[in-house]
Amino acid sequence: MVPNRKPTIAFPPNDFYRQDHKMYVATDCIVFGYDSNDLKLLLFQRKLSPFKGEWSLIGTFVHLDESIDVAAERVLEQTTGLTNIFMEQTLAYGHVKRDPGYRCISIAKYALIRLDEHDKKSVEQYGAKWFSLDDLPPMILDHQQMINDALDMLKEKAKKQPVGFELLPKKFTLPQLQRLYELIYQKEIDSRNFRKKVLSLNILIKLQEKDKSNSKKGAFLYKFNSRKYNQYFTNGFNFDT
Amino acid sequence: MVPNRKPTIAFPPNDFYRQDHKMYVATDCIVFGYDSNDLKLLLFQRKLSPFKGEWSLIGTFVHLDESIDVAAERVLEQTTGLTNIFMEQTLAYGHVKRDPGYRCISIAKYALIRLDEHDKKSVEQYGAKWFSLDDLPPMILDHQQMINDALDMLKEKAKKQPVGFELLPKKFTLPQLQRLYELIYQKEIDSRNFRKKVLSLNILIKLQEKDKSNSKKGAFLYKFNSRKYNQYFTNGFNFDT
DNA sequence: CCAAAAGTGTTACACGTACACCCATGA
DNA sequence: TCATGGGTGTACGTGTAACACTTTTGG
């Protein structure tokens, strides 16, 4: 600290409206998808320069007449056909040289998507591809860093709010839900403790049907109690495992 | 969700380098200060249009040749004379109409400052003023929202990492530390439980001196064990109160 | 001597964690 | 019948929360 330096006031600055302070603003989406087995990330292989052929997050410039949120929704719809996707802002990346071509800052957001076969295929037709989180290719710019940061924030979020609705199908089994949490937290969870805790939240409704796709015995299907779910979503809970 | 709409690819877009996508990028600082009694916020009364005379956070445009972080450090130094201040990014605000004059997004950051008399006065000379958190004036644009969001994030941070170094003087008393946490969490804390918990972290070193400025009996002064402090800062802890 | 703040311990309860076996079924 | 994944209960320790009185000393 240099408390003895004489302060001078910067705001309001004299440089208001100076054209040469304008720059590009992009938004990049870290798209997480869950297919009841793996936590995946949607990446895009660039077809044009710059960085032709390299892997990148899905992103776009923010247009002058759209908010950052709308730009992110736009690029996500254009790449996946999906709308009304849960998204949450993470960080802004603003180093001068982060993009060697031009001055551009980027606001990163993560999105949570429930994967089904349709989504997987329709997305891959257009040069985008789902990668397992632990098997990512090299990416352009600071996109790996964005992913790391987004995953950290997703972990924090999962401790405080339920995340299942966005990633799981309407009906799901407890082993599926547990696996999702194991993938997010990147550690194993004791199934007895997990079931005890998640059931004590009264957030799940047990159905009479079983899903036998993963075992001979079959696992009971559950759905979310949406009233409880929204309540926890708004007020938070503690799911520290 | 509209999974049946045919996806079209937006990235790489055709609009690369289009001049009309450039916009202003600002950064606004939510400057928290603690004077061992109150948690305060530094606001600035604008001397020029637009918004002349109204209260605002301290902010500036990000220049083309400086990163967001550097811009924030610059405006903080210009307004307070302080350098090497702890700052943390919060959110980017990017609604189209958030600033009625021109398209401008803003990256908000919060800063933590230890207030002493010198700082208080030198800052106020230049039209900035410290306000108690619970007695803020109306502010321009979305600055109140930025403050609310920053305070939420500071609360979360305080649960996971020690925050004392940045806000407290080198020597401080346990009642001062407790009051800081009460102000951040905005609730009362039982002093017996607080002391038990904070002392069990082995993060404090008790000194032989007492501070008698707040009571006749006097309270023992402590300093941080910086090794432990940095360890907790890096690896986190749980301070849920 | 008294007002005002500093400092101190114990108990009850909730919660997290560790841990191992039986069940149902399709192949 | 057996391999595979689904489902269940208990015991222990840790941490949190609630709670009230004594100490010090300047005025």
Side-chain angles (χ1 to χ4, degrees), chain B residues 178-212:
Chain B
Q178 178 175 343
R179 178 142 178 80
L180 172 60
Y181 272 87
E182 288 179 327
L183 289 165
I184 292 176
Y185 291 148
Q186 299 186 307
K187 71 172 188 189
E188 292 199 351
I189 302 173
D190 180 279
S191 67
R192 287 159 292 190
N193 293 337
F194 180 81
R195 297 169 90 93
K196 199 191 321 171
K197 188 157 186 180
V198 76
L199 289 173
S200 75
L201 294 171
N202 288 320
I203 204 174
L204 297 182
I205 298 169
K206 188 176 184 172
L207 305 174
Q208 286 318 305
E209 313 163 61
K210 280 189 166 190
D211 173 321
K212 296 206 173 186

mmCIF file of all heavy atoms in Angstrom, chain B residues 178-212:
data_model
loop_
_atom_site.group_PDB
_atom_site.id
_atom_site.type_symbol
_atom_site.label_atom_id
_atom_site.label_comp_id
_atom_site.label_asym_id
_atom_site.label_seq_id
_atom_site.Cartn_x
_atom_site.Cartn_y
_atom_site.Cartn_z
ATOM 1 N N GLN B 178 -14.890 -10.411 15.893
ATOM 2 C CA GLN B 178 -16.262 -10.904 15.941
ATOM 3 C C GLN B 178 -17.224 -9.898 15.309
ATOM 4 O O GLN B 178 -18.113 -10.268 14.534
ATOM 5 C CB GLN B 178 -16.679 -11.176 17.387
ATOM 6 C CG GLN B 178 -18.117 -11.656 17.479
ATOM 7 C CD GLN B 178 -18.512 -12.052 18.883
ATOM 8 O OE1 GLN B 178 -17.644 -12.279 19.735
ATOM 9 N NE2 GLN B 178 -19.805 -12.139 19.118
ATOM 10 N N ARG B 179 -17.022 -8.636 15.619
ATOM 11 C CA ARG B 179 -17.912 -7.620 15.059
ATOM 12 C C ARG B 179 -17.830 -7.602 13.536
ATOM 13 O O ARG B 179 -18.835 -7.448 12.843
ATOM 14 C CB ARG B 179 -17.557 -6.252 15.632
ATOM 15 C CG ARG B 179 -18.400 -5.128 15.073
ATOM 16 C CD ARG B 179 -18.769 -4.078 16.104
ATOM 17 N NE ARG B 179 -19.539 -2.992 15.490
ATOM 18 C CZ ARG B 179 -20.829 -3.077 15.222
ATOM 19 N NH1 ARG B 179 -21.501 -4.163 15.535
ATOM 20 N NH2 ARG B 179 -21.463 -2.062 14.646
ATOM 21 N N LEU B 180 -16.620 -7.783 13.016
ATOM 22 C CA LEU B 180 -16.476 -7.851 11.555
ATOM 23 C C LEU B 180 -17.331 -8.970 10.974
ATOM 24 O O LEU B 180 -18.054 -8.784 9.995
ATOM 25 C CB LEU B 180 -14.998 -8.063 11.216
ATOM 26 C CG LEU B 180 -14.668 -8.350 9.755
ATOM 27 C CD1 LEU B 180 -15.128 -7.200 8.868
ATOM 28 C CD2 LEU B 180 -13.173 -8.577 9.567
ATOM 29 N N TYR B 181 -17.242 -10.129 11.607
ATOM 30 C CA TYR B 181 -18.046 -11.245 11.083
ATOM 31 C C TYR B 181 -19.533 -10.990 11.253
ATOM 32 O O TYR B 181 -20.335 -11.365 10.393
ATOM 33 C CB TYR B 181 -17.614 -12.562 11.750
ATOM 34 C CG TYR B 181 -16.480 -13.209 10.997
ATOM 35 C CD1 TYR B 181 -15.160 -12.863 11.264
ATOM 36 C CD2 TYR B 181 -16.728 -14.116 9.971
ATOM 37 C CE1 TYR B 181 -14.120 -13.428 10.554
ATOM 38 C CE2 TYR B 181 -15.687 -14.687 9.247
ATOM 39 C CZ TYR B 181 -14.392 -14.340 9.545
ATOM 40 O OH TYR B 181 -13.369 -14.897 8.812
ATOM 41 N N GLU B 182 -19.908 -10.361 12.340
ATOM 42 C CA GLU B 182 -21.332 -10.054 12.517
ATOM 43 C C GLU B 182 -21.814 -9.096 11.444
ATOM 44 O O GLU B 182 -22.939 -9.220 10.933
ATOM 45 C CB GLU B 182 -21.575 -9.464 13.907
ATOM 46 C CG GLU B 182 -21.443 -10.505 15.011
ATOM 47 C CD GLU B 182 -21.648 -9.947 16.401
ATOM 48 O OE1 GLU B 182 -21.284 -8.769 16.644
ATOM 49 O OE2 GLU B 182 -22.146 -10.679 17.255
ATOM 50 N N LEU B 183 -20.955 -8.159 11.065
ATOM 51 C CA LEU B 183 -21.354 -7.204 10.033
ATOM 52 C C LEU B 183 -21.444 -7.881 8.674
ATOM 53 O O LEU B 183 -22.349 -7.608 7.883
ATOM 54 C CB LEU B 183 -20.358 -6.042 9.985
ATOM 55 C CG LEU B 183 -20.428 -5.107 11.188
ATOM 56 C CD1 LEU B 183 -19.190 -4.226 11.259
ATOM 57 C CD2 LEU B 183 -21.687 -4.257 11.106
ATOM 58 N N ILE B 184 -20.503 -8.762 8.383
ATOM 59 C CA ILE B 184 -20.544 -9.431 7.086
ATOM 60 C C ILE B 184 -21.747 -10.372 7.017
ATOM 61 O O ILE B 184 -22.499 -10.374 6.049
ATOM 62 C CB ILE B 184 -19.233 -10.205 6.841
ATOM 63 C CG1 ILE B 184 -18.070 -9.223 6.653
ATOM 64 C CG2 ILE B 184 -19.365 -11.106 5.624
ATOM 65 C CD1 ILE B 184 -16.724 -9.890 6.513
ATOM 66 N N TYR B 185 -21.929 -11.165 8.059
ATOM 67 C CA TYR B 185 -23.045 -12.119 8.044
ATOM 68 C C TYR B 185 -24.369 -11.442 8.355
ATOM 69 O O TYR B 185 -25.430 -12.039 8.176
ATOM 70 C CB TYR B 185 -22.798 -13.231 9.069
ATOM 71 C CG TYR B 185 -21.660 -14.158 8.711
ATOM 72 C CD1 TYR B 185 -20.891 -14.747 9.698
ATOM 73 C CD2 TYR B 185 -21.373 -14.458 7.382
ATOM 74 C CE1 TYR B 185 -19.844 -15.606 9.378
ATOM 75 C CE2 TYR B 185 -20.326 -15.309 7.065
ATOM 76 C CZ TYR B 185 -19.573 -15.873 8.063
ATOM 77 O OH TYR B 185 -18.549 -16.717 7.740
ATOM 78 N N GLN B 186 -24.299 -10.234 8.854
ATOM 79 C CA GLN B 186 -25.486 -9.490 9.245
ATOM 80 C C GLN B 186 -26.362 -10.271 10.222
ATOM 81 O O GLN B 186 -27.580 -10.361 10.061
ATOM 82 C CB GLN B 186 -26.262 -9.041 7.995
ATOM 83 C CG GLN B 186 -25.385 -8.118 7.143
ATOM 84 C CD GLN B 186 -26.099 -7.517 5.960
ATOM 85 O OE1 GLN B 186 -26.694 -8.231 5.172
ATOM 86 N NE2 GLN B 186 -26.053 -6.202 5.830
ATOM 87 N N LYS B 187 -25.682 -10.850 11.202
ATOM 88 C CA LYS B 187 -26.420 -11.451 12.311
ATOM 89 C C LYS B 187 -25.514 -11.513 13.533
ATOM 90 O O LYS B 187 -24.293 -11.414 13.419
ATOM 91 C CB LYS B 187 -26.909 -12.848 11.936
ATOM 92 C CG LYS B 187 -25.820 -13.890 11.832
ATOM 93 C CD LYS B 187 -26.413 -15.284 11.658
ATOM 94 C CE LYS B 187 -25.314 -16.334 11.760
ATOM 95 N NZ LYS B 187 -25.748 -17.674 11.407
ATOM 96 N N GLU B 188 -26.143 -11.684 14.689
ATOM 97 C CA GLU B 188 -25.354 -11.753 15.908
ATOM 98 C C GLU B 188 -24.725 -13.133 16.069
ATOM 99 O O GLU B 188 -25.283 -14.134 15.635
ATOM 100 C CB GLU B 188 -26.243 -11.449 17.120
ATOM 101 C CG GLU B 188 -26.696 -10.003 17.151
ATOM 102 C CD GLU B 188 -27.175 -9.588 18.527
ATOM 103 O OE1 GLU B 188 -27.319 -10.479 19.404
ATOM 104 O OE2 GLU B 188 -27.390 -8.380 18.736
ATOM 105 N N ILE B 189 -23.572 -13.156 16.689
ATOM 106 C CA ILE B 189 -22.858 -14.398 16.921
ATOM 107 C C ILE B 189 -22.604 -14.508 18.417
ATOM 108 O O ILE B 189 -22.255 -13.520 19.072
ATOM 109 C CB ILE B 189 -21.522 -14.407 16.145
ATOM 110 C CG1 ILE B 189 -21.761 -14.218 14.647
ATOM 111 C CG2 ILE B 189 -20.768 -15.692 16.404
ATOM 112 C CD1 ILE B 189 -20.491 -14.042 13.836
ATOM 113 N N ASP B 190 -22.767 -15.682 18.952
ATOM 114 C CA ASP B 190 -22.487 -15.927 20.369
ATOM 115 C C ASP B 190 -20.984 -15.860 20.597
ATOM 116 O O ASP B 190 -20.212 -16.574 19.957
ATOM 117 C CB ASP B 190 -23.022 -17.306 20.759
ATOM 118 C CG ASP B 190 -22.769 -17.622 22.223
ATOM 119 O OD1 ASP B 190 -21.633 -18.037 22.544
ATOM 120 O OD2 ASP B 190 -23.693 -17.440 23.029
ATOM 121 N N SER B 191 -20.575 -15.013 21.534
ATOM 122 C CA SER B 191 -19.140 -14.752 21.653
ATOM 123 C C SER B 191 -18.383 -15.981 22.156
ATOM 124 O O SER B 191 -17.246 -16.207 21.764
ATOM 125 C CB SER B 191 -18.885 -13.569 22.581
ATOM 126 O OG SER B 191 -19.255 -13.897 23.898
ATOM 127 N N ARG B 192 -19.017 -16.807 23.007
ATOM 128 C CA ARG B 192 -18.305 -17.994 23.495
ATOM 129 C C ARG B 192 -18.045 -18.974 22.361
ATOM 130 O O ARG B 192 -16.947 -19.514 22.208
ATOM 131 C CB ARG B 192 -19.131 -18.672 24.591
ATOM 132 C CG ARG B 192 -19.107 -17.902 25.885
ATOM 133 C CD ARG B 192 -20.267 -18.275 26.751
ATOM 134 N NE ARG B 192 -21.529 -17.829 26.169
ATOM 135 C CZ ARG B 192 -22.691 -17.850 26.806
ATOM 136 N NH1 ARG B 192 -22.756 -18.312 28.026
ATOM 137 N NH2 ARG B 192 -23.780 -17.418 26.225
ATOM 138 N N ASN B 193 -19.054 -19.173 21.532
ATOM 139 C CA ASN B 193 -18.873 -20.086 20.404
ATOM 140 C C ASN B 193 -17.899 -19.525 19.381
ATOM 141 O O ASN B 193 -17.078 -20.256 18.823
ATOM 142 C CB ASN B 193 -20.222 -20.365 19.750
ATOM 143 C CG ASN B 193 -21.144 -21.141 20.668
ATOM 144 O OD1 ASN B 193 -20.680 -21.824 21.584
ATOM 145 N ND2 ASN B 193 -22.434 -21.024 20.448
ATOM 146 N N PHE B 194 -17.982 -18.221 19.168
ATOM 147 C CA PHE B 194 -17.091 -17.598 18.201
ATOM 148 C C PHE B 194 -15.632 -17.754 18.625
ATOM 149 O O PHE B 194 -14.776 -18.178 17.846
ATOM 150 C CB PHE B 194 -17.438 -16.119 18.051
ATOM 151 C CG PHE B 194 -16.567 -15.385 17.070
ATOM 152 C CD1 PHE B 194 -16.824 -15.457 15.711
ATOM 153 C CD2 PHE B 194 -15.485 -14.636 17.505
ATOM 154 C CE1 PHE B 194 -16.019 -14.791 14.798
ATOM 155 C CE2 PHE B 194 -14.670 -13.971 16.596
ATOM 156 C CZ PHE B 194 -14.944 -14.054 15.246
ATOM 157 N N ARG B 195 -15.366 -17.447 19.880
ATOM 158 C CA ARG B 195 -13.985 -17.535 20.362
ATOM 159 C C ARG B 195 -13.468 -18.962 20.302
ATOM 160 O O ARG B 195 -12.328 -19.211 19.898
ATOM 161 C CB ARG B 195 -13.916 -17.027 21.800
ATOM 162 C CG ARG B 195 -14.290 -15.572 21.933
ATOM 163 C CD ARG B 195 -14.460 -15.197 23.384
ATOM 164 N NE ARG B 195 -13.212 -14.736 23.962
ATOM 165 C CZ ARG B 195 -12.856 -13.457 24.011
ATOM 166 N NH1 ARG B 195 -13.646 -12.522 23.525
ATOM 167 N NH2 ARG B 195 -11.709 -13.109 24.534
ATOM 168 N N LYS B 196 -14.335 -19.885 20.711
ATOM 169 C CA LYS B 196 -13.930 -21.284 20.696
ATOM 170 C C LYS B 196 -13.522 -21.689 19.283
ATOM 171 O O LYS B 196 -12.473 -22.291 19.048
ATOM 172 C CB LYS B 196 -15.111 -22.140 21.156
ATOM 173 C CG LYS B 196 -14.733 -23.513 21.627
ATOM 174 C CD LYS B 196 -15.964 -24.390 21.814
ATOM 175 C CE LYS B 196 -17.146 -23.617 22.408
ATOM 176 N NZ LYS B 196 -18.393 -24.411 22.400
ATOM 177 N N LYS B 197 -14.359 -21.313 18.341
ATOM 178 C CA LYS B 197 -14.124 -21.755 16.976
ATOM 179 C C LYS B 197 -12.891 -21.098 16.364
ATOM 180 O O LYS B 197 -12.035 -21.759 15.790
ATOM 181 C CB LYS B 197 -15.351 -21.436 16.122
ATOM 182 C CG LYS B 197 -15.259 -22.027 14.756
ATOM 183 C CD LYS B 197 -16.625 -22.196 14.145
ATOM 184 C CE LYS B 197 -16.530 -22.920 12.828
ATOM 185 N NZ LYS B 197 -17.850 -23.091 12.212
ATOM 186 N N VAL B 198 -12.802 -19.798 16.524
ATOM 187 C CA VAL B 198 -11.711 -19.091 15.870
ATOM 188 C C VAL B 198 -10.368 -19.463 16.517
ATOM 189 O O VAL B 198 -9.357 -19.607 15.822
ATOM 190 C CB VAL B 198 -11.966 -17.563 15.854
ATOM 191 C CG1 VAL B 198 -11.723 -16.954 17.198
ATOM 192 C CG2 VAL B 198 -11.148 -16.885 14.800
ATOM 193 N N LEU B 199 -10.377 -19.677 17.830
ATOM 194 C CA LEU B 199 -9.120 -20.043 18.482
ATOM 195 C C LEU B 199 -8.693 -21.458 18.101
ATOM 196 O O LEU B 199 -7.501 -21.745 18.002
ATOM 197 C CB LEU B 199 -9.255 -19.906 20.002
ATOM 198 C CG LEU B 199 -9.335 -18.455 20.488
ATOM 199 C CD1 LEU B 199 -9.636 -18.392 21.982
ATOM 200 C CD2 LEU B 199 -8.042 -17.695 20.175
ATOM 201 N N SER B 200 -9.674 -22.311 17.837
ATOM 202 C CA SER B 200 -9.325 -23.698 17.503
ATOM 203 C C SER B 200 -8.656 -23.789 16.127
ATOM 204 O O SER B 200 -8.077 -24.818 15.792
ATOM 205 C CB SER B 200 -10.578 -24.572 17.530
ATOM 206 O OG SER B 200 -11.369 -24.326 16.388
ATOM 207 N N LEU B 201 -8.760 -22.737 15.341
ATOM 208 C CA LEU B 201 -8.126 -22.757 14.018
ATOM 209 C C LEU B 201 -6.616 -22.535 14.101
ATOM 210 O O LEU B 201 -5.913 -22.705 13.101
ATOM 211 C CB LEU B 201 -8.727 -21.667 13.123
ATOM 212 C CG LEU B 201 -10.197 -21.843 12.737
ATOM 213 C CD1 LEU B 201 -10.724 -20.595 12.047
ATOM 214 C CD2 LEU B 201 -10.348 -23.047 11.812
ATOM 215 N N ASN B 202 -6.133 -22.118 15.271
ATOM 216 C CA ASN B 202 -4.697 -21.841 15.446
ATOM 217 C C ASN B 202 -4.200 -20.777 14.494
ATOM 218 O O ASN B 202 -3.066 -20.820 14.030
ATOM 219 C CB ASN B 202 -3.864 -23.104 15.224
ATOM 220 C CG ASN B 202 -4.034 -24.067 16.363
ATOM 221 O OD1 ASN B 202 -4.092 -23.658 17.511
ATOM 222 N ND2 ASN B 202 -4.143 -25.342 16.028
ATOM 223 N N ILE B 203 -5.059 -19.855 14.197
ATOM 224 C CA ILE B 203 -4.716 -18.840 13.214
ATOM 225 C C ILE B 203 -4.305 -17.547 13.898
ATOM 226 O O ILE B 203 -3.810 -16.627 13.260
ATOM 227 C CB ILE B 203 -5.936 -18.635 12.278
ATOM 228 C CG1 ILE B 203 -5.525 -18.076 10.932
ATOM 229 C CG2 ILE B 203 -7.001 -17.781 12.935
ATOM 230 C CD1 ILE B 203 -6.680 -18.015 9.966
ATOM 231 N N LEU B 204 -4.515 -17.485 15.213
ATOM 232 C CA LEU B 204 -4.261 -16.239 15.946
ATOM 233 C C LEU B 204 -3.117 -16.396 16.928
ATOM 234 O O LEU B 204 -2.939 -17.461 17.529
ATOM 235 C CB LEU B 204 -5.522 -15.822 16.717
ATOM 236 C CG LEU B 204 -6.745 -15.507 15.871
ATOM 237 C CD1 LEU B 204 -7.896 -15.060 16.770
ATOM 238 C CD2 LEU B 204 -6.431 -14.440 14.845
ATOM 239 N N ILE B 205 -2.370 -15.346 17.079
ATOM 240 C CA ILE B 205 -1.310 -15.304 18.080
ATOM 241 C C ILE B 205 -1.670 -14.221 19.090
ATOM 242 O O ILE B 205 -1.865 -13.063 18.727
ATOM 243 C CB ILE B 205 0.045 -14.984 17.417
ATOM 244 C CG1 ILE B 205 0.408 -16.099 16.428
ATOM 245 C CG2 ILE B 205 1.116 -14.798 18.473
ATOM 246 C CD1 ILE B 205 1.581 -15.761 15.537
ATOM 247 N N LYS B 206 -1.760 -14.627 20.348
ATOM 248 C CA LYS B 206 -2.156 -13.684 21.390
ATOM 249 C C LYS B 206 -0.951 -12.856 21.804
ATOM 250 O O LYS B 206 0.125 -13.390 22.044
ATOM 251 C CB LYS B 206 -2.697 -14.456 22.592
ATOM 252 C CG LYS B 206 -3.312 -13.584 23.672
ATOM 253 C CD LYS B 206 -3.918 -14.455 24.773
ATOM 254 C CE LYS B 206 -4.633 -13.608 25.818
ATOM 255 N NZ LYS B 206 -5.391 -14.478 26.774
ATOM 256 N N LEU B 207 -1.156 -11.553 21.899
ATOM 257 C CA LEU B 207 -0.081 -10.665 22.335
ATOM 258 C C LEU B 207 -0.287 -10.319 23.803
ATOM 259 O O LEU B 207 -1.337 -10.591 24.386
ATOM 260 C CB LEU B 207 -0.091 -9.399 21.478
ATOM 261 C CG LEU B 207 -0.015 -9.674 19.967
ATOM 262 C CD1 LEU B 207 -0.170 -8.381 19.179
ATOM 263 C CD2 LEU B 207 1.291 -10.364 19.614
ATOM 264 N N GLN B 208 0.727 -9.693 24.389
ATOM 265 C CA GLN B 208 0.587 -9.336 25.804
ATOM 266 C C GLN B 208 -0.136 -8.005 25.988
ATOM 267 O O GLN B 208 -0.646 -7.709 27.061
ATOM 268 C CB GLN B 208 1.946 -9.323 26.482
ATOM 269 C CG GLN B 208 2.486 -10.726 26.725
ATOM 270 C CD GLN B 208 1.418 -11.706 27.221
ATOM 271 O OE1 GLN B 208 0.737 -11.467 28.215
ATOM 272 N NE2 GLN B 208 1.236 -12.809 26.490
ATOM 273 N N GLU B 209 -0.193 -7.218 24.917
ATOM 274 C CA GLU B 209 -0.823 -5.891 25.026
ATOM 275 C C GLU B 209 -2.336 -5.999 25.043
ATOM 276 O O GLU B 209 -2.920 -6.939 24.529
ATOM 277 C CB GLU B 209 -0.453 -5.036 23.811
ATOM 278 C CG GLU B 209 0.996 -5.034 23.447
ATOM 279 C CD GLU B 209 1.168 -4.529 22.032
ATOM 280 O OE1 GLU B 209 0.783 -3.368 21.796
ATOM 281 O OE2 GLU B 209 1.669 -5.279 21.168
ATOM 282 N N LYS B 210 -2.917 -4.967 25.625
ATOM 283 C CA LYS B 210 -4.365 -4.839 25.578
ATOM 284 C C LYS B 210 -4.743 -3.548 24.862
ATOM 285 O O LYS B 210 -4.002 -2.575 24.876
ATOM 286 C CB LYS B 210 -4.941 -4.806 26.998
ATOM 287 C CG LYS B 210 -5.072 -6.178 27.636
ATOM 288 C CD LYS B 210 -5.854 -6.083 28.937
ATOM 289 C CE LYS B 210 -6.286 -7.463 29.416
ATOM 290 N NZ LYS B 210 -7.237 -7.387 30.539
ATOM 291 N N ASP B 211 -5.918 -3.594 24.269
ATOM 292 C CA ASP B 211 -6.493 -2.387 23.679
ATOM 293 C C ASP B 211 -7.596 -1.923 24.617
ATOM 294 O O ASP B 211 -8.554 -2.643 24.862
ATOM 295 C CB ASP B 211 -7.070 -2.726 22.294
ATOM 296 C CG ASP B 211 -7.842 -1.568 21.688
ATOM 297 O OD1 ASP B 211 -8.566 -0.856 22.423
ATOM 298 O OD2 ASP B 211 -7.746 -1.374 20.480
ATOM 299 N N LYS B 212 -7.427 -0.723 25.134
ATOM 300 C CA LYS B 212 -8.421 -0.229 26.102
ATOM 301 C C LYS B 212 -9.335 0.819 25.495
ATOM 302 O O LYS B 212 -10.052 1.523 26.220
ATOM 303 C CB LYS B 212 -7.704 0.341 27.323
ATOM 304 C CG LYS B 212 -6.907 -0.702 28.083
ATOM 305 C CD LYS B 212 -6.750 -0.337 29.537
ATOM 306 C CE LYS B 212 -6.093 -1.487 30.294
ATOM 307 N NZ LYS B 212 -6.036 -1.239 31.745
#
